[in-house]
Amino acid sequence: MSPRTKEQNDAIREIRMNQIMQAAAEVYLEKGIQLEIRDVAVKAELGYGTVYHYYKNKHMLLEDLLWDALYRTESAILPALTEDGDSLHKAESFSRLLLRMCIQDPSVFILLKTVADNFHHFPGNRFIKLSSDFHGRIYLPFVELIREGIDSQSPEKTANLIFGSLVGCTALNIHHHMQSDMDAGKIVDMIFSGLQAKER
């Protein structure tokens, strides 16, 4: 039997990494920061040594999980930032896309919840860069849409309330296993129904 090519090894690595990431997100939803590499291995149906080969500890694994979630979140909300329409419409579209992403992808929900919690479960300063990038690439563009489109004395507070609402709705549905009943469009409509458009 001939040895695997570099391309085959890379493909296997990508499959394994996806398995591990998906399992890590599921375990994190069950156990939070108490998750262990062994838990992830069991959930992924991989040997402990296989997972440990990629990640020496859970903090390295969670760091990769959150960075990957940040990149996917940024891609998901991009259409709202580049579409035609006024800022209020874009803010609603942004919120809808973000909520749908949270429902479909547990790691995105974990990212938003972790940012909202200010990474207080994580040791040291290893997440300062991630927090800064989230702030610059996700949060501040949303605040700017709020500033331009909604009559609010504090766009930051309004953005925080909307983000908190999205995280809270997702948490309720995840922990009560109601994802199929969740209508992101209606929830966002309800959140924005209490906000006044800025007069032009």
Side-chain angles (χ1 to χ4, degrees):
M1 187 172 178
S2 59
R4 287 196 296 252
T5 65
K6 181 183 182 305
E7 290 75 18
Q8 288 171 321
N9 283 331
D10 288 346
I12 290 168
R13 178 180 171 76
E14 188 172 344
I15 290 167
R16 288 283 180 265
M17 296 286 279
N18 287 337
Q19 272 181 282
I20 292 166
M21 292 287 191
Q22 185 175 347
E26 291 175 23
V27 173
Y28 190 91
L29 290 178
E30 295 166 9
K31 297 190 170 189
I33 198 66
Q34 303 304 318
L35 77 78
E36 296 296 340
I37 295 289
R38 287 185 190 282
D39 303 323
V40 175
V42 169
K43 183 68 81 173
E45 298 181 353
L46 295 169
Y48 173 72
T50 301
V51 178
Y52 189 77
H53 170 75
Y54 293 103
Y55 294 103
K56 302 302 180 205
N57 61 60
K58 66 183 180 183
H59 298 297
M60 290 173 65
L61 172 53
L62 289 171
E63 192 170 1
D64 260 15
L65 179 80
L66 294 175
W67 274 108
D68 188 56
L70 175 63
Y71 298 137
R72 281 183 285 108
T73 302
E74 189 175 30
S75 294
I77 55 122
L78 187 60
L81 298 175
T82 56
E83 69 186 17
D84 292 331
D86 61 31
S87 295
L88 176 58
H89 173 77
K90 289 181 176 183
E92 288 183 53
S93 181
F94 182 112
S95 301
R96 239 177 248 108
L97 291 168
L98 191 56
L99 183 55
R100 286 189 184 119
M101 196 69 180
C102 280
I103 295 166
Q104 295 164 4
D105 186 341
S107 65
V108 172
F109 165 70
I110 293 165
L111 171 66
L112 263 62
K113 175 97 172 56
T114 304
V115 169
D117 291 342
N118 202 26
F119 297 92
H120 79 273
H121 292 302
F122 296 90
N125 298 321
R126 69 187 305 146
F127 291 94
I128 288 175
K129 173 94 168 79
L130 177 64
S131 180
S132 173
D133 277 28
F134 179 89
H135 194 75
R137 291 153 63 176
I138 309 294
Y139 179 73
L140 287 180
F142 186 64
V143 169
E144 196 53 36
L145 292 177
I146 297 295
R147 188 183 318 282
E148 293 172 1
I150 295 171
D151 188 15
S152 172
Q153 290 184 338
S154 175
E156 291 82 7
K157 283 185 180 177
T158 302
N160 290 345
L161 286 169
I162 294 169
F163 270 46
S165 299
L166 301 179
V167 170
C169 287
T170 307
L172 282 171
N173 281 271
I174 285 173
H175 296 303
H176 293 279
H177 308 291
M178 298 161 49
Q179 287 96 327
S180 59
D181 299 331
M182 191 168 178
D183 186 327
K186 284 184 180 175
I187 289 169
V188 170
D189 288 346
M190 197 180 338
I191 292 168
F192 276 80
S193 68
L195 300 174
Q196 297 296 317
K198 187 174 274 189
E199 290 185 17
R200 300 290 173 199

